[in-house]
Amino acid sequence: MAMLLIKNIGMLATAKGNEPLRGPAQHEGVEIRRGCAVLLNGDTIQGVYDNASAPDCDNVIDAGGRLVTAGLIDAHTHLIFGGWRQHEVPLKLRGASYLEILQAGGGILNTLVATRNASEDELYDRAVSALSEMRDHGITTVEAKSGYGLDEQNELKQLRVIRRLKEEGGFNVVPTFMAAHAVPPEYKGDPDGYIEYVCTKILPKVADEELCEFVDVFCETGVFDVEQSRKMLTYGQAYGFKVKIHADEIDAIGGSKLAGEIGAVSAEHLIAIDEEGISSMAKGGTIACLLPGTSLYLNKEFAPARRMIEAGVPVAVCTDFNPGSCPSNDLQLCMNLGYLKYRMTPEEVLSAVTINAACAIGRGDSLGTVEPGKQADLVIWAAEDIDYLVYRMGTNKAKTVIVKGEIIK
């Protein structure tokens, strides 16, 4: 296997280990090392050395005194969709809420039509384009949800696209089944009937084809209540899948509390989370996947990241890339927002987009840190330290991106 040495690293910033960082450790657990080198052996990190003791290697990258981190991980996206929803922006500017647009047949239901009408090849090509942009910005692993088909044929179609992205495109993509994203027109007014259909008709076929690793549900006012969400996730666990939950985005109806109770790997959004929900997640070990780009785009409050960190909830920061509430796949922007709006330290932000994000998608043992034995996903930044990385906005700071030991930028 080809060896590659990255030498003359000005600052190597990385967490350690395979577990999410929580509480003070989300800041203190980031190790800063200067004047060092990293040796890659094929797709694996072999060792980290001081520059003076680095082994000889025929293939060398001179980092030029720049910052090096693990590859960024986006642990929450709705990557597979047809169409865009720019026509809804004037409605939002006139004061229409997310739920009002959804209840009028827009929002997710608008994207449903475009996704159902798109072929698998069309969805694949769109996703390849988005993933290529993300790689160019230092994102080396992405979680991708279904949830814009909302019937058997089209949910399976979305998940098969994700499988193709891994097998044919060579992308690090982690699949999540989220047919419980909204109630489709065929079940209008009958969310219980739709959940029953998803659990008993679609989920078994997803399991038979091994198309996902996680099951997710949108637990929210006007979508699915706590008991409907519990049923969806319990069925998912019975099939051996890990579970996630969209919770407390608009109202604190109990989704975050449910997350902790059932041992969900992560809960997402959490803008309206209350103290009971925070406590439940801390006790249950649930990771908070926070989505500052969505708050920015919808002009909503930002999730209380500091309260969660202080309560011992591990925090990840993700894009929520989707065609409606966050049409941005720029995780660097979300890092800026985590710093400025969540009031997280640069170290906390780095943990949030590396090791905590890795753990939120079940990859803590292989991704998220620069350590021997981990997958060789790294970024050399046009920056000298992590403070600059979260301070500078509006420009792509990823200079060199390495995925599985291969230089892709």
Side-chain angles (χ1 to χ4, degrees):
M1 300 181 74
M3 306 286 281
L4 176 65
L5 181 69
I6 306 170
K7 70 173 186 179
N8 196 22
I9 296 170
M11 174 186 285
L12 176 65
T14 180
K16 295 287 187 181
N18 303 337
E19 299 297 323
L21 300 183
R22 67 191 75 218
Q26 183 148 356
H27 173 98
E28 297 168 1
V30 173
E31 179 182 275
I32 302 297
R33 187 167 175 176
R34 300 182 184 276
C36 59
V38 178
L39 181 64
L40 310 182
N41 185 355
D43 62 1
T44 303
I45 298 169
Q46 178 156 317
V48 181
Y49 310 87
D50 293 332
N51 274 324
S53 61
D56 292 332
C57 184
D58 292 334
N59 298 315
V60 176
I61 297 176
D62 189 333
R66 296 181 179 89
L67 169 70
V68 171
T69 71
L72 305 185
I73 297 168
D74 192 346
H76 180 125
T77 81
H78 298 266
L79 176 70
I80 313 301
F81 60 85
W84 295 97
R85 303 213 302 264
Q86 64 269 31
H87 58 280
E88 292 181 357
V89 176
L91 298 175
K92 296 173 183 176
L93 295 179
R94 290 197 293 269
S97 71
Y98 179 89
L99 289 179
E100 287 170 342
I101 293 172
L102 177 63
Q103 289 162 358
I108 293 169
L109 299 181
N110 189 305
T111 301
L112 174 149
V113 174
T115 303
R116 287 184 177 181
N117 289 337
S119 69
E120 183 177 310
D121 286 343
E122 288 170 334
L123 294 175
Y124 176 82
D125 289 343
R126 287 172 61 95
V128 166
S129 177
L131 286 169
S132 297
E133 291 177 351
M134 296 168 89
R135 274 189 170 185
D136 187 60
H137 282 68
I139 302 172
T140 55
T141 300
V142 175
E143 183 259 14
K145 305 177 192 293
S146 69
Y148 289 127
L150 307 189
D151 65 10
E152 179 183 318
Q153 175 185 347
N154 290 288
E155 286 294 310
L156 294 178
K157 177 175 71 176
Q158 287 186 273
L159 292 170
R160 288 169 184 149
V161 168
I162 298 171
R163 182 167 61 190
R164 281 183 62 187
L165 292 168
K166 294 191 295 181
E167 295 178 351
E168 298 176 22
F171 294 98
N172 293 334
V173 185
V174 177
T176 295
F177 173 57
M178 197 182 174
H181 195 193
V183 179
E186 298 87 344
Y187 283 86
K188 186 175 182 179
D190 185 17
D192 286 320
Y194 180 62
I195 289 291
E196 177 70 13
Y197 165 66
V198 172
C199 290
T200 61
K201 300 299 183 182
I202 309 180
L203 185 58
K205 295 188 177 181
V206 172
D208 285 345
E209 293 191 39
E210 299 180 343
L211 287 172
C212 79
E213 296 182 30
F214 294 89
V215 171
D216 201 343
V217 61
F218 193 3
C219 181
E220 187 54 77
T221 301
V223 191
F224 301 107
D225 64 25
V226 169
E227 291 312 310
Q228 291 158 352
S229 300
R230 187 189 303 274
K231 178 175 179 177
M232 182 72 251
L233 299 183
T234 301
Y235 264 82
Q237 289 174 323
Y239 276 97
F241 299 123
K242 299 174 184 178
V243 298
K244 298 173 170 285
I245 183 170
H246 281 51
D248 301 353
E249 179 180 3
I250 300 167
D251 296 312
I253 66 169
S256 55
K257 183 173 181 290
L258 174 64
E261 289 174 355
I262 66 173
V265 173
S266 66
E268 335 272 299
H269 286 287
L270 306 173
I271 293 171
I273 192 169
D274 57 19
E275 295 305 319
E276 187 177 20
I278 292 175
S279 176
S280 179
M281 287 178 59
K283 291 176 183 176
T286 300
I287 298 167
C289 286
L290 306 185
L291 314 172
T294 304
S295 292
L296 176 70
Y297 195 76
L298 296 180
N299 196 28
K300 297 295 185 183
E301 294 294 322
F302 286 80
R306 286 254 55 90
R307 281 167 44 207
M308 290 186 237
I309 291 172
E310 290 163 5
V313 176
V315 168
V317 171
C318 324
T319 65
D320 192 26
F321 175 51
N322 72 80
S325 58
C326 191
S328 170
N329 56 8
D330 187 354
L331 189 56
Q332 291 184 40
L333 172 61
C334 293
M335 293 168 69
N336 298 139
L337 294 172
Y339 185 41
L340 298 171
K341 293 296 187 179
Y342 290 155
R343 318 307 289 177
M344 295 170 67
T345 68
E347 290 83 359
E348 288 170 341
V349 171
L350 183 64
S351 300
V353 295
T354 55
I355 186 60
N356 285 4
C359 293
I361 56 171
R363 296 294 191 278
D365 61 344
S366 60
L367 301 175
T369 69
V370 183
E371 296 180 281
K374 290 287 185 86
Q375 185 167 296
D377 295 352
L378 300 100
V379 183
I380 303 173
W381 298 95
E384 63 182 23
D385 55 35
I386 55 175
D387 296 62
Y388 184 88
L389 189 60
V390 296
Y391 146 81
R392 181 78 191 281
M393 290 183 65
T395 184
N396 181 10
K397 298 171 286 296
K399 183 178 187 297
T400 303
V401 182
I402 299 169
V403 180
K404 297 180 182 178
E406 295 187 9
I407 302 169
I408 57 94
K409 177 187 176 182

